[in-house]
């Protein structure tokens, strides 16, 4: 064996051993396309409850046997992905259970990558129960565990982890914007972004490993490490830019936290009831009626909102009310958007004095001592309630004055009693919510999971380790790149030492 060939194998073995021995590689979930569970599983894949059609899915090596026995197929199976109307019977008693459609999916061209079958039956509870019991009586067939079909699809390489999470989000999506974001992630856009970063990191790691092993033999081109330096800096920049998204994707996935806050009897509970169009909170002229957080979920222009009504902010000798005020202030600190409700009848008659009054009012509601700075942000809306009790001329003059003032959040006159101004307020509220969530269909795919954010932050920290040790210890610098690659792999579920070896063999003409 020539020295060059021996150097090639030495580098390959070194890279494989160091990657597998690295603590960062332990516990990494790597899907295997050849994974195939010996058991065949079944479950109801459609929603529970009475419905026109229910879908029962079967997956595993015995799926063809199940389909033959349940649908009475004595000859060939139906063509893949072709619906066939059949009598569905109990394989033990031969009793007719239902008439419905059956479909056959030959692996690997199925959702799980295995042989699969589906029974589209009538959605009555008795029919569903009978079919599931009949399936359970077959040998080698068992009910599926929660998420097991998707887990098999992941292990078969049909879905990456980000796509699996997108599928889960799509199933649980309640608003149009959530559906769009989940569908985009399930389509693989986020996974492809992370896979691209992973591929570039693999190249960097392969080049550093090759430089460590072959630079003394002058088999590596000059400037390889300079190219790695440039690539690592570029990746750092892209990942940090991706992290600076103000949590728009996570907020869209879980819902925008909108909190109603203000003094007692300003009309906070009335605003909650007006927005959700039902008596969700008790409304009373007695101050201090609301003492705990009252929450309701809303769809505002296709965006999910978790709306919270809070206790009126005032000093009180009542220990229960004081606890309610404490919780209210805590919720305001956590809010994505605060609706500060003001009793319009308490505004100064002179419109020129209103901005100072509102500034002082905001300082009693918002947690920051620099209330004006927060008020000027996109996180606060002023709701001037009970506008029906204010003379029209005074209201118009006040609106004109507020339009000329900077440093205050937008102010909307509203009457929860007559609904006057409600449409304009909803337009402003929807615009703010959309800004907080962003457009799920434009720009780069959004971060949607706290898990992704944590791993990306750790990837950036690991790349900083590369720069820290670049001129001191190249092996430690390489470990930083390896750690960054591992954290990206934990997001997608796909990374392996063999891929790094492939790059070493392909990118360098070593040992020819």
């Amino acid at each position: 064996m020539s020295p060059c060939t021996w150097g090639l194998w030495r580098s390959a073995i070194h890279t494989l051993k160091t990657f597998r021995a690295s603590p960062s590689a332990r516990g990494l979930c790597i899907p295997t396309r050849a994974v195939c569970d010996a058991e065949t599983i079944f479950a109801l894949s459609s929603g529970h409850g009475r419905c026109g059609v229910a879908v029962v899915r079967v997956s595993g090596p015995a799926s063809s046997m199940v389909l033959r026995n349940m649908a009475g197929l004595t000859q060939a199976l139906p063509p893949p992905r072709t619906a066939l109307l059949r009598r569905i019977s109990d394989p033990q008693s031969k009793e007719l259970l239902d008439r419905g459609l059956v479909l056959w999916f030959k692996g690997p061209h199925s959702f799980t990558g295995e042989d699969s079958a589906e029974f589209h039956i009538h959605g009555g509870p008795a029919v569903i129960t009978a079919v599931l019991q009949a399936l359970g009586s077959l040998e080698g067939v068992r009910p599926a565990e929660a998420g097991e079909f998707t887990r098999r699809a992941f292990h078969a390489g049909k879905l990456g982890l980000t796509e699996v999470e997108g599928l889960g989000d799509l199933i649980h999506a309640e608003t149009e914007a959530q559906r769009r974001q989940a569908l985009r992630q399930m389509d693989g856009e986020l996974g492809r972004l992370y896979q691209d970063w992973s591929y570039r990191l693999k190249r960097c790691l392969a080049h550093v490993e090759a430089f460590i092993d072959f630079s003394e033999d002058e088999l590596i081109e000059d400037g390889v490490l300079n190219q790695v330096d440039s690539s690592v800096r570029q990746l750092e920049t892209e990942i940090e830019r991706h992290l600076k998204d103000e949590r728009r994707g996570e907020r869209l996935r879980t819902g925008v936290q909108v909190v109603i806050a203000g003094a007692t009897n300003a009309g906070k509970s009335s605003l909650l009831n007006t927005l959700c169009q039902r008596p969700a909170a008790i409304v009373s002229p007695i101050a201090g009626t609301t003492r705990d957080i009252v929450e309701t979920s809303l769809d505002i222009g296709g965006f999910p909102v978790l709306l919270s009504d809070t206790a009126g902010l005032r000093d009180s000798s009542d220990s229960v009310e004081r606890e309610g005020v404490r919780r209210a202030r805590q919720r305001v600190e956590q809010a994505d958007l605060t609706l500060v409700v003001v009793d319009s009848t308490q505004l100064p008659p002179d419109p020129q004095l209103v901005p100072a009054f509102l500034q002082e009012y905001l300082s009693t509601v918002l947690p920051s001592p620099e209330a004006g700075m927060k008020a000027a942000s996109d996180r606060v809306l002023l709701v001037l309630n009970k506008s029906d009790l204010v003379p029209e001329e005074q209201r118009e003059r006040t609106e004109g004055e507020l339009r000329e003032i900077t440093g205050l959040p937008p102010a909307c006159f509203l009457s929860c009693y007559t609904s006057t101004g409600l449409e304009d307020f909803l337009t402003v509220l929807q615009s703010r919510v959309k800004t907080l969530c962003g457009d799920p269909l434009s720009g780069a795919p959004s971060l949607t999971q706290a898990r992704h954010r944590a791993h990306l932050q750790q990837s950036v920290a690991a790349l900083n380790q590369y720069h820290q040790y670049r001129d001191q210890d190249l092996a430690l610098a390489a470990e930083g790149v390896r750690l960054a690659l591992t954290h990206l792999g934990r997001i997608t579920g796909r990374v392996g030492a063999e891929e790094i070896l492939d790059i070493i063999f392909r990118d360098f003409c070593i040992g020819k």
Side-chain angles (χ1 to χ4, degrees), residues 11 39 99 115 125 132 134 185 224 260 297 319 363 368 373 376 381-382 395 432 439 472 478 485 495 505:
S11 175
E39 294 180 302
R99 292 179 73 247
D115 287 351
L132 294 178
Q185 182 170 333
V224 164
I260 303 174
S297 297
S319 60
S363 68
S368 171
M373 293 182 62
L381 285 179
L382 277 166
R395 187 176 67 247
R432 286 303 170 92
D439 186 348
Q472 302 174 26
L485 177 60
V495 65
F505 278 78

Side-chain angles (χ1 to χ4, degrees), residues 223-238:
V224 164
L225 288 186
N226 292 335
Q227 295 175 11
V228 173
D229 294 344
S230 177
S231 297
V232 169
R233 288 194 191 93
Q234 180 64 29
L235 279 165
E236 276 185 294
T237 301
E238 292 180 22

Side-chain angles (χ1 to χ4, degrees), residues 189-450:
E189 281 197 55
L190 193 62
R192 285 192 290 272
L193 175 65
Y194 296 156
Q195 286 287 7
D196 175 65
W197 288 345
S198 294
Y199 174 76
R200 289 157 64 184
L201 277 177
K202 290 168 195 171
R203 286 180 59 89
C204 291
L205 181 57
H207 291 186
V208 174
E209 291 284 2
F211 186 88
I212 291 173
D213 280 348
F214 299 114
S215 60
E216 295 180 359
D217 300 328
E218 298 183 356
L219 296 172
I220 302 298
E221 297 177 2
D222 294 336
V224 164
L225 288 186
N226 292 335
Q227 295 175 11
V228 173
D229 294 344
S230 177
S231 297
V232 169
R233 288 194 191 93
Q234 180 64 29
L235 279 165
E236 276 185 294
T237 301
E238 292 180 22
I239 296 174
E240 287 173 346
R241 187 186 306 123
H242 186 59
L243 285 168
K244 293 177 181 177
D245 65 340
E246 298 183 353
R247 299 184 182 272
R248 290 188 181 91
E250 295 167 73
R251 193 178 289 122
L252 175 55
R253 179 175 175 269
T254 59
V256 180
Q257 300 284 337
V258 178
V259 175
I260 303 174
T264 55
N265 273 4
K268 300 184 299 300
S269 297
S270 296
L271 178 60
L272 176 79
N273 294 343
T274 299
L275 291 176
C276 65
Q277 299 182 346
R278 63 183 177 86
I282 297 174
V283 176
S284 168
I286 301 174
T289 303
T290 302
R291 299 198 171 193
D292 205 349
I293 307 296
V294 180
E295 293 183 337
T296 185
S297 297
L298 296 178
D299 181 339
I300 303 292
F303 294 89
V305 167
L306 183 62
L307 186 64
S308 302
D309 182 24
T310 61
L313 303 177
R314 68 171 181 175
D315 295 329
S316 174
S317 59
D318 188 320
S319 60
V320 177
E321 186 174 357
R322 285 203 306 271
E323 174 61 19
V325 172
R326 186 194 68 80
R327 295 186 181 188
R329 294 194 181 281
Q330 183 182 53
R331 188 58 65 93
V332 170
E333 290 178 358
Q334 300 167 349
D336 296 315
L337 178 64
T338 303
L339 306 181
V340 179
V341 183
V342 183
D343 184 347
S344 295
T345 62
Q346 303 298 316
L347 295 175
D350 184 352
Q352 293 184 348
L353 301 178
V354 170
F357 173 87
L358 292 177
Q359 190 71 52
E360 178 64 24
Y361 187 87
L362 286 168
S363 68
T364 65
V365 176
L366 301 178
S368 171
E370 300 178 352
M373 293 182 62
K374 177 159 186 176
S377 71
D378 293 335
R379 303 300 181 89
V380 179
L381 285 179
L382 277 166
V383 182
L384 309 182
N385 192 28
K386 304 182 184 181
S387 63
D388 56 307
L389 302 179
V390 178
E392 183 177 354
E393 181 182 354
Q394 180 183 341
R395 187 176 67 247
E396 290 177 352
R397 290 172 57 204
T398 302
E399 288 177 332
E401 182 69 25
L402 291 176
R403 279 195 294 268
E404 301 297 325
I405 296 297
T406 59
L408 281 176
C412 302
F413 274 97
L414 171 66
S415 171
C416 292
Y417 181 72
T418 65
S419 295
T420 303
L422 179 60
E423 185 175 344
D424 292 338
F425 168 70
L426 287 175
T427 300
V428 176
L429 177 59
Q430 179 178 331
S431 174
R432 286 303 170 92
V433 170
K434 183 176 180 180
T435 299
L436 288 168
C437 293
D439 186 348
L441 295 182
S442 66
S446 300
L447 260 170
T448 61
Q449 302 270 350

Side-chain angles (χ1 to χ4, degrees), residues 53-100:
V53 177
V55 178
V56 176
R57 175 181 287 169
V58 182
S59 181
S63 295
S64 59
M65 178 273 291
V66 171
L67 187 58
R68 291 180 188 276
N69 289 344
M70 294 286 292
L73 296 172
T74 57
Q75 298 180 357
L77 293 170
R81 297 173 297 282
T82 300
L84 186 66
L85 180 63
R86 297 293 298 181
R87 294 165 63 90
I88 300 172
S89 305
D90 188 315
Q92 306 295 333
S93 66
K94 307 303 180 184
E95 177 187 359
L96 178 65
L97 303 178
D98 194 15
R99 292 179 73 247

